[in-house]
Structure formats: structure tokens, C-alpha cells
């Protein structure tokens, strides 16, 4: 709260989800890992094949959170709400 009271610009609480990039030898390996990731709840996972033929499987969680707290130095939410979103971010970190 002390840092927010001193803010002069925009402050955003941001939680970014887990991301794991795996370089795969074969497309079948990437597809197998992709299936495992999806069935484990990593909904935003995907396979990328570069122009050079590199096959990358990205395992991505969907646990993201982005909440503005101040605007031009003015606190836009209550301390109670900040405690609430910090609790949510911490829970998302545990789920990650």
C-alpha cells in the first residue's frame, strides 16, 4: 500500500502463467507432449514449426491475471480489493 500511495503513474498487478518450451526431434514427439499437456489442463499449449524445421512444443497454463490498481497516481480500488486480488494471484501461483 505504501508503494501504491507513492505511485505517480499507472500501476497494474500482473500475474503471468507458467510456460515451458520444449524443442522436439520429431513432430510425433511434439504431438504426444501436446496431448499430455492438454489432458493435464494446460489449455493454451501449442506446437510451432520454424522455417528451419525446428519443432517447439510450448506448454502454457491459462492462469493469468492483470488488474489495474492506480491511474495517473490515483488509487482506483480499495485495500480490501487489493488483498483479494493478491490472494487470487497467490492461489494461481500454487496452481501453476
Amino acid at each position: 500500500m505504501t508503494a501504491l500511495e507513492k505511485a505517480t503513474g499507472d500501476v497494474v498487478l500482473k500475474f503471468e502463467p507458467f510456460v515451458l518450451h520444449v524443442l522436439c526431434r520429431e513432430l510425433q514427439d511434439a504431438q504426444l507432449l501436446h496431448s499430455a499437456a492438454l489432458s493435464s489442463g494446460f489449455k493454451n499449449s501449442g506446437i510451432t514449426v520454424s522455417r528451419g524445421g525446428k519443432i517447439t512444443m510450448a506448454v502454457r497454463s491459462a492462469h493469468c491475471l492483470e488488474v489495474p490498481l492506480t491511474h495517473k497516481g490515483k488509487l482506483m480500488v480499495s485495500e480490501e480489493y487489493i488483498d483479494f486480488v493478491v490472494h487470487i494471484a497467490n492461489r494461481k501461483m500454487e496452481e501453476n
Side-chain angles (χ1 to χ4, degrees), residues 39-70:
S39 65
S40 297
F42 294 98
K43 302 174 191 172
N44 294 338
S45 299
I47 299 169
T48 304
V49 180
S50 72
R51 289 182 188 173
K54 280 189 189 178
I55 303 165
T56 304
M57 170 52 206
V59 180
R60 293 188 190 103
S61 169
H63 296 101
C64 59
L65 176 70
E66 188 170 352
V67 181
L69 302 176
T70 70

Side-chain angles (χ1 to χ4, degrees), residues 27-38:
L27 184 56
Q28 291 117 340
D29 298 331
Q31 290 170 326
L32 183 62
L33 181 56
H34 185 252
S35 293
L38 291 178

